[in-house]
mmCIF file of all heavy atoms in Angstrom:
data_model
loop_
_atom_site.group_PDB
_atom_site.id
_atom_site.type_symbol
_atom_site.label_atom_id
_atom_site.label_comp_id
_atom_site.label_asym_id
_atom_site.label_seq_id
_atom_site.Cartn_x
_atom_site.Cartn_y
_atom_site.Cartn_z
ATOM 1 N N SER X 445 -8.199 3.393 -4.723
ATOM 2 C CA SER X 445 -9.266 4.264 -5.231
ATOM 3 C C SER X 445 -9.880 3.707 -6.513
ATOM 4 O O SER X 445 -11.107 3.720 -6.696
ATOM 5 C CB SER X 445 -8.715 5.669 -5.496
ATOM 6 O OG SER X 445 -8.301 6.284 -4.292
ATOM 7 N N ALA X 446 -9.020 3.192 -7.391
ATOM 8 C CA ALA X 446 -9.502 2.658 -8.667
ATOM 9 C C ALA X 446 -10.414 1.449 -8.468
ATOM 10 O O ALA X 446 -11.314 1.202 -9.274
ATOM 11 C CB ALA X 446 -8.317 2.282 -9.556
ATOM 12 N N ALA X 447 -10.196 0.708 -7.397
ATOM 13 C CA ALA X 447 -11.005 -0.482 -7.122
ATOM 14 C C ALA X 447 -12.417 -0.137 -6.659
ATOM 15 O O ALA X 447 -13.300 -0.991 -6.670
ATOM 16 C CB ALA X 447 -10.310 -1.350 -6.073
ATOM 17 N N GLU X 448 -12.628 1.098 -6.230
ATOM 18 C CA GLU X 448 -13.931 1.567 -5.739
ATOM 19 C C GLU X 448 -14.522 0.607 -4.695
ATOM 20 O O GLU X 448 -15.612 0.058 -4.881
ATOM 21 C CB GLU X 448 -14.907 1.749 -6.914
ATOM 22 C CG GLU X 448 -14.443 2.793 -7.910
ATOM 23 C CD GLU X 448 -15.454 3.009 -9.036
ATOM 24 O OE1 GLU X 448 -16.267 2.099 -9.280
ATOM 25 O OE2 GLU X 448 -15.412 4.089 -9.651
ATOM 26 N N PRO X 449 -13.800 0.412 -3.588
ATOM 27 C CA PRO X 449 -14.250 -0.566 -2.590
ATOM 28 C C PRO X 449 -15.475 -0.100 -1.800
ATOM 29 O O PRO X 449 -15.694 1.100 -1.629
ATOM 30 C CB PRO X 449 -13.035 -0.679 -1.666
ATOM 31 C CG PRO X 449 -12.365 0.660 -1.756
ATOM 32 C CD PRO X 449 -12.540 1.071 -3.198
ATOM 33 N N ASP X 450 -16.236 -1.075 -1.339
ATOM 34 C CA ASP X 450 -17.336 -0.803 -0.415
ATOM 35 C C ASP X 450 -16.857 -0.912 1.032
ATOM 36 O O ASP X 450 -17.478 -0.358 1.943
ATOM 37 C CB ASP X 450 -18.478 -1.796 -0.650
ATOM 38 C CG ASP X 450 -19.044 -1.699 -2.053
ATOM 39 O OD1 ASP X 450 -19.482 -0.595 -2.411
ATOM 40 O OD2 ASP X 450 -19.012 -2.704 -2.787
ATOM 41 N N LEU X 451 -15.754 -1.648 1.232
ATOM 42 C CA LEU X 451 -15.188 -1.834 2.574
ATOM 43 C C LEU X 451 -13.703 -2.111 2.454
ATOM 44 O O LEU X 451 -13.261 -2.849 1.563
ATOM 45 C CB LEU X 451 -15.865 -3.016 3.290
ATOM 46 C CG LEU X 451 -15.276 -3.407 4.657
ATOM 47 C CD1 LEU X 451 -15.502 -2.299 5.682
ATOM 48 C CD2 LEU X 451 -15.886 -4.715 5.150
ATOM 49 N N ILE X 452 -12.926 -1.516 3.368
ATOM 50 C CA ILE X 452 -11.490 -1.796 3.476
ATOM 51 C C ILE X 452 -11.239 -2.354 4.867
ATOM 52 O O ILE X 452 -11.682 -1.788 5.862
ATOM 53 C CB ILE X 452 -10.647 -0.528 3.253
ATOM 54 C CG1 ILE X 452 -10.931 0.077 1.874
ATOM 55 C CG2 ILE X 452 -9.161 -0.838 3.409
ATOM 56 C CD1 ILE X 452 -10.288 1.441 1.662
ATOM 57 N N VAL X 453 -10.507 -3.475 4.921
ATOM 58 C CA VAL X 453 -10.180 -4.105 6.199
ATOM 59 C C VAL X 453 -8.672 -4.029 6.399
ATOM 60 O O VAL X 453 -7.896 -4.471 5.545
ATOM 61 C CB VAL X 453 -10.637 -5.578 6.238
ATOM 62 C CG1 VAL X 453 -10.311 -6.197 7.595
ATOM 63 C CG2 VAL X 453 -12.138 -5.686 5.949
ATOM 64 N N ILE X 454 -8.258 -3.467 7.540
ATOM 65 C CA ILE X 454 -6.839 -3.357 7.863
ATOM 66 C C ILE X 454 -6.585 -3.995 9.223
ATOM 67 O O ILE X 454 -7.507 -4.403 9.928
ATOM 68 C CB ILE X 454 -6.370 -1.888 7.876
ATOM 69 C CG1 ILE X 454 -7.109 -1.100 8.975
ATOM 70 C CG2 ILE X 454 -6.569 -1.241 6.521
ATOM 71 C CD1 ILE X 454 -6.589 0.314 9.179
ATOM 72 N N GLY X 455 -5.308 -4.044 9.592
ATOM 73 C CA GLY X 455 -4.949 -4.571 10.904
ATOM 74 C C GLY X 455 -3.449 -4.706 11.007
ATOM 75 O O GLY X 455 -2.752 -4.910 10.005
ATOM 76 N N GLY X 456 -2.929 -4.591 12.213
ATOM 77 C CA GLY X 456 -1.501 -4.817 12.432
ATOM 78 C C GLY X 456 -0.634 -3.858 11.647
ATOM 79 O O GLY X 456 -0.619 -2.644 11.873
ATOM 80 N N ARG X 457 0.089 -4.398 10.671
ATOM 81 C CA ARG X 457 1.066 -3.623 9.911
ATOM 82 C C ARG X 457 0.442 -2.445 9.168
ATOM 83 O O ARG X 457 1.101 -1.439 8.934
ATOM 84 C CB ARG X 457 1.793 -4.540 8.931
ATOM 85 C CG ARG X 457 2.624 -5.640 9.602
ATOM 86 C CD ARG X 457 3.104 -6.660 8.573
ATOM 87 N NE ARG X 457 4.022 -7.640 9.140
ATOM 88 C CZ ARG X 457 3.631 -8.783 9.697
ATOM 89 N NH1 ARG X 457 2.326 -9.070 9.775
ATOM 90 N NH2 ARG X 457 4.524 -9.630 10.192
ATOM 91 N N SER X 458 -0.809 -2.583 8.758
ATOM 92 C CA SER X 458 -1.463 -1.516 7.977
ATOM 93 C C SER X 458 -2.276 -0.551 8.835
ATOM 94 O O SER X 458 -2.852 0.409 8.316
ATOM 95 C CB SER X 458 -2.377 -2.141 6.911
ATOM 96 O OG SER X 458 -3.300 -3.049 7.497
ATOM 97 N N ALA X 459 -2.313 -0.781 10.141
ATOM 98 C CA ALA X 459 -3.182 0.022 11.018
ATOM 99 C C ALA X 459 -2.872 1.513 10.962
ATOM 100 O O ALA X 459 -3.778 2.347 11.065
ATOM 101 C CB ALA X 459 -3.072 -0.481 12.460
ATOM 102 N N ALA X 460 -1.609 1.853 10.757
ATOM 103 C CA ALA X 460 -1.216 3.264 10.742
ATOM 104 C C ALA X 460 -1.810 4.029 9.558
ATOM 105 O O ALA X 460 -1.824 5.261 9.549
ATOM 106 C CB ALA X 460 0.306 3.383 10.713
ATOM 107 N N LYS X 461 -2.315 3.305 8.565
ATOM 108 C CA LYS X 461 -2.858 3.954 7.367
ATOM 109 C C LYS X 461 -4.368 4.146 7.445
ATOM 110 O O LYS X 461 -5.014 4.496 6.449
ATOM 111 C CB LYS X 461 -2.499 3.127 6.122
ATOM 112 C CG LYS X 461 -1.019 2.799 6.000
ATOM 113 C CD LYS X 461 -0.148 4.042 5.987
ATOM 114 C CE LYS X 461 1.329 3.678 5.846
ATOM 115 N NZ LYS X 461 2.199 4.855 5.882
ATOM 116 N N TYR X 462 -4.932 3.941 8.616
ATOM 117 C CA TYR X 462 -6.386 4.025 8.775
ATOM 118 C C TYR X 462 -6.944 5.372 8.309
ATOM 119 O O TYR X 462 -7.943 5.433 7.576
ATOM 120 C CB TYR X 462 -6.767 3.782 10.233
ATOM 121 C CG TYR X 462 -8.232 3.999 10.526
ATOM 122 C CD1 TYR X 462 -9.174 3.039 10.172
ATOM 123 C CD2 TYR X 462 -8.674 5.175 11.138
ATOM 124 C CE1 TYR X 462 -10.521 3.237 10.421
ATOM 125 C CE2 TYR X 462 -10.026 5.385 11.389
ATOM 126 C CZ TYR X 462 -10.940 4.415 11.033
ATOM 127 O OH TYR X 462 -12.279 4.622 11.268
ATOM 128 N N GLY X 463 -6.297 6.459 8.719
ATOM 129 C CA GLY X 463 -6.802 7.792 8.404
ATOM 130 C C GLY X 463 -6.951 8.025 6.915
ATOM 131 O O GLY X 463 -7.995 8.506 6.453
ATOM 132 N N GLU X 464 -5.918 7.687 6.154
ATOM 133 C CA GLU X 464 -5.962 7.914 4.705
ATOM 134 C C GLU X 464 -6.945 6.970 4.025
ATOM 135 O O GLU X 464 -7.701 7.379 3.136
ATOM 136 C CB GLU X 464 -4.557 7.734 4.112
ATOM 137 C CG GLU X 464 -3.573 8.825 4.487
ATOM 138 C CD GLU X 464 -4.057 10.196 4.047
ATOM 139 O OE1 GLU X 464 -4.487 10.333 2.884
ATOM 140 O OE2 GLU X 464 -4.021 11.131 4.869
ATOM 141 N N LEU X 465 -6.947 5.700 4.414
ATOM 142 C CA LEU X 465 -7.823 4.734 3.762
ATOM 143 C C LEU X 465 -9.291 5.022 4.046
ATOM 144 O O LEU X 465 -10.154 4.826 3.187
ATOM 145 C CB LEU X 465 -7.464 3.313 4.208
ATOM 146 C CG LEU X 465 -6.135 2.783 3.663
ATOM 147 C CD1 LEU X 465 -5.755 1.474 4.351
ATOM 148 C CD2 LEU X 465 -6.207 2.581 2.151
ATOM 149 N N SER X 466 -9.574 5.516 5.261
ATOM 150 C CA SER X 466 -10.972 5.775 5.620
ATOM 151 C C SER X 466 -11.558 6.954 4.846
ATOM 152 O O SER X 466 -12.776 7.142 4.819
ATOM 153 C CB SER X 466 -11.099 6.015 7.127
ATOM 154 O OG SER X 466 -10.362 7.151 7.529
ATOM 155 N N LYS X 467 -10.688 7.735 4.201
ATOM 156 C CA LYS X 467 -11.176 8.808 3.333
ATOM 157 C C LYS X 467 -11.676 8.256 1.996
ATOM 158 O O LYS X 467 -12.435 8.915 1.287
ATOM 159 C CB LYS X 467 -10.063 9.830 3.076
ATOM 160 C CG LYS X 467 -9.613 10.593 4.307
ATOM 161 C CD LYS X 467 -8.431 11.489 3.977
ATOM 162 C CE LYS X 467 -7.904 12.201 5.225
ATOM 163 N NZ LYS X 467 -6.693 13.006 4.911
ATOM 164 N N ILE X 468 -11.230 7.049 1.665
ATOM 165 C CA ILE X 468 -11.594 6.440 0.381
ATOM 166 C C ILE X 468 -12.880 5.617 0.510
ATOM 167 O O ILE X 468 -13.751 5.664 -0.362
ATOM 168 C CB ILE X 468 -10.443 5.550 -0.133
ATOM 169 C CG1 ILE X 468 -9.183 6.407 -0.360
ATOM 170 C CG2 ILE X 468 -10.840 4.815 -1.414
ATOM 171 C CD1 ILE X 468 -7.939 5.603 -0.692
ATOM 172 N N ALA X 469 -12.980 4.860 1.598
ATOM 173 C CA ALA X 469 -14.145 3.986 1.804
ATOM 174 C C ALA X 469 -14.231 3.636 3.282
ATOM 175 O O ALA X 469 -13.251 3.800 4.027
ATOM 176 C CB ALA X 469 -14.007 2.718 0.965
ATOM 177 N N PRO X 470 -15.384 3.147 3.756
ATOM 178 C CA PRO X 470 -15.471 2.693 5.152
ATOM 179 C C PRO X 470 -14.366 1.692 5.454
ATOM 180 O O PRO X 470 -14.144 0.742 4.689
ATOM 181 C CB PRO X 470 -16.853 2.030 5.207
ATOM 182 C CG PRO X 470 -17.642 2.708 4.139
ATOM 183 C CD PRO X 470 -16.670 2.986 3.033
ATOM 184 N N THR X 471 -13.646 1.925 6.548
ATOM 185 C CA THR X 471 -12.474 1.121 6.890
ATOM 186 C C THR X 471 -12.577 0.647 8.329
ATOM 187 O O THR X 471 -12.922 1.426 9.226
ATOM 188 C CB THR X 471 -11.183 1.949 6.708
ATOM 189 O OG1 THR X 471 -11.102 2.400 5.341
ATOM 190 C CG2 THR X 471 -9.947 1.143 7.041
#
């Protein structure tokens, strides 16, 4: 959140966190 991203890219090991991360920025 502090980084104020314009885009977050996930995959594999981090895929399960899509729901939470997509609330912060487009994922």
Side-chain angles (χ1 to χ4, degrees):
S445 295
E448 298 183 338
D450 299 303
L451 174 66
I452 301 172
V453 181
I454 63 173
R457 296 170 174 89
S458 54
K461 308 303 181 182
Y462 174 77
E464 290 301 313
L465 289 170
S466 62
K467 295 175 184 176
I468 299 172
T471 301

